[in-house]
Amino acid sequence: MQKEIYDKIIGFLQGASWAVVFFGAYFTFRFSISFGFSFSLFLTATYIFVSLFLVLLLDAFSVNRTRLLEAKKQTKLLEKLYDKHIL
């Protein structure tokens, strides 16, 4: 089954966002270590929390797309059943 362009874009964005989380956390820690270890750890944890929230947002787009496609399939089936019942 061939994926639609929307699914490909969401998949790419999810992979890219995970890379941004990992590399961003690394660079945030490296550049803020001069302010102290505890502050650097707090800043990195905050960055990871916000970044993971954005990853979950992309996942929600994917889930809602799947839900929409299933609702469309169910609507078509219900219309067929209704047409059979009426005729």
Side-chain angles (χ1 to χ4, degrees), residues 6-68:
Y6 181 84
D7 295 328
K8 289 179 184 179
I9 290 172
I10 291 294
F12 174 76
L13 288 175
Q14 284 177 337
S17 62
W18 277 107
V20 167
V21 169
F22 289 129
F23 289 119
Y26 173 74
F27 287 123
T28 301
F29 186 78
R30 287 276 307 220
F31 290 131
S32 63
I33 194 71
S34 61
F35 298 115
F37 180 76
S38 60
F39 178 72
S40 179
L41 196 60
F42 171 74
L43 193 62
T44 303
T46 304
Y47 174 82
I48 289 172
F49 179 74
V50 171
S51 299
L52 288 179
F53 178 74
L54 296 175
V55 170
L56 287 176
L57 188 66
L58 282 172
D59 192 43
F61 284 141
S62 177
V63 168
N64 283 334
R65 172 74 174 176
T66 305
R67 186 181 298 162
L68 176 67

